[in-house]
Amino acid sequence: MFAGQTAKTLPWMPDDACIARVEGLARTHRAAVHEVLSPVVAAWHPKFRVESAAEFDKMIELSTKMTLVGHACAEVVGAPFGAREQRIAALYGGCCFLADSFIDNFGDAASRDYLRRFDELFLSGWFEVRTDRERLFYVLAARLFAERDMLEPMVRQATLKLHAAQSLDALLRIDPWRTTDLTATQRRALFKRVARDRGGHTILLLTVLVAPRLAPGLVAGLFSAGSLFMYIDDHGDFFTDRRDGRSTYMNLLRRPEPALHRIVTAHFLTILAKLPGNEGRDALLAILARYYFTRIDKHRVQEQGGGTAWDVYE
Amino acid sequence: MSDAPHMAPGGLVVDQVALAIQTLRASTPGHFDALVRIDNRADEAIAPFQFDAARGMLHRKGCRAIPVNAPLLGLAEADPDYMIYACKRCKPVPETSPETKAADRADVMFGLVSLVDQFAGVLKERGRDYRQTADGQHLGAQLQDVYQALGAREKEIVDVVIGALDQVAARLRSLDGGLKQTAAKGED
């Protein structure tokens, strides 16, 4: 049983050995992520760790989660996960965290400008560095590009698909008029698809970064796992997202917790059907189960006492 | 923005190079087009196959069985691994990847020529200017230290690589010059 686990049952639950393995990997990867990211932050944006300590901690946690999931995905694919793959996953986590922060945290005008500049980065490779935070992002991205052939067709496509999903998510928040003509059902369907694609493409990109040969038979199971991470995440951030004026599929629902349980159950069944039974699949399901239970707690805590986007629930 | 750090062991030298490349466009506006294009949507748009990532099914492009808003990955070719996931309606057939095409090799060649043409002059100029600055002298000393710390075999490899790059650059510059002369004669 995980700490905070409710009586709800899932189609698959990890045994004690699997939970212990995942918790051990989380500790190892957290230390490795610190080793990869802290010196870069110290060199290129030292104030980030001092003046935005909570945000820095959140970046470490997100990158640890990314590394843990990357490890599980590599095992699913049957690829090795050594120091290089650990470094790639940590750098990818750092890039995702900072890119999200540019789009979400500096107002609508800045969001539009960053979306345009990311378009330019992917179209031409140019990114004019204007602030210390941008410099940190660019250095992490450059190190990631140096570790992996970013021109490999599947890496390029996964990068662009993720960017497109993130852009649509941001534009729906910035331009509410885009959904005013939709019925409530259509809006929920649109936001559900946005969450599916954001999470799905995030995990596909992570997988092709750490495990270059991705067999087609594994794509749907991994995509489903990535989407589930996003639904769980959005349920955990239900109240902070509403407070920040950000609509998500989860916070458009009147009774999100039972809906999430149905989604988790369906996705677990898909993952069990689509991915081969191995240590990687078990680790991925165990991480998802732990994430589900901790985010149910986060939702309840924030319902009662509020909270911030930087709160770490691990 | 605060100043760049002055300690530069290992990876930080690479960071400085990456950041320096980004300043090239600002220093010579209008000269540069693309540095590197990750965006391959144009290739994806003409790919004959589409793989539905949510359902794990391979379709021919435009198949009517593709669900609305499916997350699709474009595939220029589909090897036999994909066939067990083939849509029963549009029945895509495998296409084996041809060996490296002459056109691909020409693209690589033109890519090299364009890079040398685009960067060689400006990099040399900037390198000369940068060497005079305090940062440049500091970096130069560190590069010397890094080089001194290498073993004999590693030094040999670095020398061979740099020598080869230099020769490639010189050869490409002369080729590029020859091509331009031929083109100019053709226009006369």
Side-chain angles (χ1 to χ4, degrees):
Chain A
M1 292 275 280
F2 293 108
Q5 183 178 335
T6 65
K8 284 198 163 77
T9 53
L10 297 175
W12 182 95
M13 284 296 290
D15 58 24
D16 289 345
C18 184
I19 292 173
R21 177 170 186 259
V22 168
E23 288 179 350
L25 285 175
R27 278 192 296 277
T28 310
H29 289 321
R30 188 173 289 109
V33 163
H34 255 295
E35 277 180 31
V36 173
L37 297 183
S38 295
V40 188
V41 172
W44 296 110
H45 188 14
K47 285 182 182 169
F48 182 58
R49 190 166 185 175
V50 181
E51 294 174 2
S52 312
E55 209 183 341
F56 173 81
D57 290 344
K58 182 91 177 178
M59 181 171 82
I60 295 293
E61 279 313 311
L62 178 86
S63 300
T64 301
K65 187 178 92 183
M66 210 61 102
T67 309
L68 196 54
V69 173
H71 191 150
C73 291
E75 286 183 338
V76 165
V77 174
F81 194 85
R84 177 170 172 271
E85 289 74 23
Q86 211 172 32
R87 203 160 52 242
I88 288 174
L91 291 169
Y92 177 59
C95 284
C96 287
F97 179 84
L98 291 171
D100 279 352
S101 81
F102 291 137
I103 293 170
D104 291 340
N105 300 341
F106 297 94
D108 292 351
S111 297
R112 275 184 224 283
D113 193 44
Y114 277 118
L115 291 177
R116 181 192 60 74
R117 290 171 66 197
F118 286 144
D119 279 341
E120 185 177 33
L121 174 64
F122 295 132
L123 271 169
S124 70
W126 296 113
F127 184 75
E128 186 195 346
V129 175
R130 297 173 185 165
T131 65
D132 287 346
R133 183 185 281 250
E134 290 179 10
R135 186 168 63 185
L136 176 61
F137 165 76
Y138 177 72
V139 166
L140 292 175
R143 287 189 177 208
L144 181 60
F145 280 33
E147 291 282 0
R148 180 74 172 88
D149 177 10
M150 296 300 289
L151 294 180
E152 199 268 311
M154 195 53 89
V155 176
R156 291 168 81 173
Q157 203 163 172
T159 305
L160 262 293
K161 296 284 179 190
L162 175 57
H163 173 57
Q166 300 274 41
S167 297
L168 179 57
D169 181 62
L171 289 172
L172 289 174
R173 171 174 54 78
I174 300 166
D175 299 327
W177 57 264
R178 289 173 188 268
T179 60
T180 46
D181 289 344
L182 302 181
T183 64
T185 306
Q186 287 171 327
R187 283 191 81 210
R188 283 197 296 272
L190 172 63
F191 281 99
K192 190 174 186 183
R193 174 164 60 85
V194 168
R196 176 198 72 180
D197 290 354
R198 283 185 71 199
H201 291 303
T202 300
I203 204 168
L204 286 190
L205 178 54
L206 172 64
T207 306
V208 294
L209 285 173
V210 299
R213 180 75 181 92
L214 173 58
L218 304 175
V219 171
L222 292 172
F223 192 88
S224 180
S227 302
L228 183 52
F229 273 112
M230 193 55 63
Y231 294 126
I232 295 171
D233 201 39
D234 284 347
H235 180 260
D237 291 336
F238 184 100
F239 295 102
T240 48
D241 281 341
R242 268 194 175 177
R243 191 192 60 206
D244 297 341
R246 177 170 178 255
S247 295
T248 64
Y249 172 63
M250 295 311 301
N251 72 19
L252 290 175
L253 297 173
R254 234 173 300 171
R255 297 181 63 234
E257 194 169 319
L260 180 64
H261 187 70
R262 285 193 296 275
I263 289 172
V264 172
T265 302
H267 281 68
F268 264 54
L269 291 172
T270 301
I271 294 164
L272 288 165
K274 301 271 187 185
L275 297 184
N278 60 24
E279 271 200 322
R281 187 190 72 181
D282 289 357
L284 194 54
L285 287 169
I287 297 163
L288 278 163
R290 183 171 78 158
Y291 200 51
Y292 172 52
F293 293 124
T294 55
R295 265 47 190 182
I296 289 279
D297 286 348
K298 179 178 184 177
H299 180 97
R300 289 176 185 160
V301 168
Q302 295 207 342
E303 183 174 22
Q304 288 160 9
T308 74
W310 311 133
D311 293 340
V312 173
Y313 286 78
E314 291 295 344
Chain B
M1 192 163 65
S2 62
D3 291 338
H6 285 272
M7 72 300 186
L12 295 186
V13 175
V14 179
D15 299 344
Q16 285 178 335
V17 171
L19 288 161
I21 287 173
Q22 288 297 332
T23 65
L24 287 174
R25 187 165 69 159
S27 62
T28 50
H31 182 74
F32 297 116
D33 297 323
L35 179 65
V36 59
R37 183 173 55 82
I38 302 289
D39 190 331
N40 64 344
R41 278 177 289 191
D43 300 331
E44 192 197 335
I46 57 168
F49 302 107
Q50 292 180 310
F51 190 74
D52 180 345
R55 288 158 195 82
M57 187 171 283
L58 180 74
H59 298 272
R60 289 179 194 271
K61 184 181 172 65
C63 169
R64 291 172 65 186
I66 298 173
V68 177
N69 296 319
L72 299 173
L73 302 168
L75 295 173
E77 59 205 32
D79 61 39
D81 284 0
Y82 279 88
M83 289 311 126
I84 51 172
Y85 309 104
C87 167
K88 295 204 168 31
R89 181 169 182 153
C90 63
K91 299 185 179 67
V93 289
E95 280 187 8
T96 49
S97 164
E99 293 303 310
T100 309
K101 298 170 197 160
D104 291 343
R105 285 197 293 271
D107 286 345
V108 173
M109 200 62 202
F110 276 107
L112 265 174
V113 170
S114 81
L115 274 177
V116 171
D117 183 46
Q118 194 171 25
F119 290 109
V122 73
L123 280 176
K124 199 171 173 183
E125 285 301 311
R126 284 188 63 86
R128 201 175 285 148
D129 293 346
Y130 189 66
R131 194 192 282 259
Q132 307 301 323
T133 65
D135 279 355
Q137 287 176 7
H138 190 76
L139 183 61
Q142 285 165 343
L143 286 174
Q144 284 280 349
D145 290 345
V146 169
Y147 187 76
Q148 293 301 331
L150 295 176
R153 176 94 181 115
E154 292 159 322
K155 274 182 185 164
E156 200 178 308
I157 291 169
V158 169
D159 290 343
V160 166
V161 169
I162 290 174
L165 278 175
D166 204 32
Q167 281 180 19
V168 168
R171 180 77 184 125
L172 285 173
R173 271 197 297 273
S174 85
L175 262 177
D176 192 33
L179 285 173
K180 279 176 182 161
Q181 276 180 4
T182 309
K185 278 181 190 164
E187 284 169 13
D188 289 341

